[in-house]
Amino acid sequence: MGMHGASEARPERGMRGGAPLYVEIFIRADVDTVWELTQNPAHHPRWDLRFSGITPEGDVRDGYGYRFRYERSLPGHTIVGTGTALGEKVRPDGTRTSALRFDTTDRLSPLRDGRGYWRYVPTDGGVRFITGYDYLPGFGSAADRILRPLILWMTAWSFDRLRIWAETGVAPEKWPLISALAFWRRKRPRAGRCITVPPARGALADAPSTLATLEAP
């Protein structure tokens, strides 16, 4: 799967102008493995560049889902925010979903209030792992024109690092961010293995119904 160019469909408008982000990858592993590596708060920040720590802080809806505190470490500063997540592990169609809302008041965060989902679609030989999400830009719409493609790349690169972990057992720490420049290492994580153009209906069209009812963090 290659990283796709611009879609011919009319661009979907996001929370403040920018198009919602979409990433999809095929992982040759069983759905229980992918679910564990993505839903476990101890595992999630190990492969996802967008987080350096996730700490659950209590259940929501009588134990259905949880509140959490997240961190993203930067040189000389750590961005801190809060979120809520709701997972559906058993669905009539055999898929699984997870809905998310997050927010931060940190003035150095490029992402403020946001919402999104993960969808797990079991198929022959593996799982289609999909995300769609949107956010209010922290530095305004002009800066977001530069930052949003970078955030999309970070998401896609992280998804491929997750794929390698799920398929081979090689820990994500074996692939630090600097490895993205090691072009001679063919097995390194690459954003280009992901689909990044959403379906014609939009990046958030396949969001689970739980996203609409998920309470703010």
Side-chain angles (χ1 to χ4, degrees):
M1 290 181 289
M3 198 160 187
H4 291 216
S7 173
E8 295 180 358
R10 184 175 180 179
E12 180 183 16
R13 306 311 292 172
M15 296 173 71
R16 191 174 288 173
L21 304 180
Y22 178 90
V23 176
E24 175 181 339
I25 195 167
F26 179 71
I27 301 175
R28 292 176 176 82
D30 62 85
V31 68
D32 286 328
T33 295
V34 180
W35 180 267
E36 170 65 17
L37 297 183
T38 55
Q39 291 292 323
N40 188 322
H43 294 328
H44 183 181
R46 293 180 60 190
W47 60 265
D48 196 336
L49 281 180
R50 297 168 297 175
F51 302 95
S52 55
I54 299 175
T55 305
E57 293 192 330
D59 295 338
V60 296
R61 291 190 181 180
D62 299 324
Y64 179 56
Y66 63 93
R67 301 181 187 275
F68 61 90
R69 178 182 184 271
Y70 68 86
E71 298 180 354
R72 173 65 263 179
S73 296
L74 303 173
H77 181 72
T78 298
I79 295 170
V80 176
T82 57
T84 55
L86 294 174
E88 295 177 289
K89 193 173 181 179
V90 179
R91 290 168 52 89
D93 61 1
T95 67
R96 302 183 188 185
T97 68
S98 180
L100 169 74
R101 289 188 63 177
F102 60 89
D103 197 9
T104 180
T105 58
D106 193 311
R107 292 182 295 177
L108 295 182
S109 175
L111 284 70
R112 299 294 173 86
D113 177 34
R115 59 196 173 97
Y117 71 93
W118 283 343
R119 186 174 288 277
Y120 309 71
V121 184
T123 63
D124 289 341
V127 179
R128 290 173 57 221
F129 183 51
I130 303 166
T131 188
Y133 67 101
D134 194 17
Y135 60 87
L136 290 176
F139 304 144
S141 58
D144 193 54
R145 293 191 186 98
I146 299 172
L147 292 172
R148 192 170 287 249
L150 176 60
I151 294 166
L152 176 63
W153 180 89
M154 290 173 61
T155 307
W157 188 87
S158 297
F159 268 40
D160 198 43
R161 186 159 69 158
L162 167 67
R163 178 195 63 80
I164 292 171
W165 192 13
E167 290 182 357
T168 70
V170 174
E173 292 81 7
K174 296 290 186 180
W175 299 107
L177 180 58
I178 190 67
S179 68
L181 301 177
F183 58 88
W184 60 92
R185 302 182 68 179
R186 296 180 59 188
K187 295 183 179 181
R188 73 189 188 282
R190 288 190 291 160
R193 292 193 180 100
C194 295
I195 294 171
T196 57
V197 173
R201 296 184 298 118
L204 296 174
D206 288 329
S209 59
T210 50
L211 183 60
T213 60
L214 184 59
E215 59 191 81

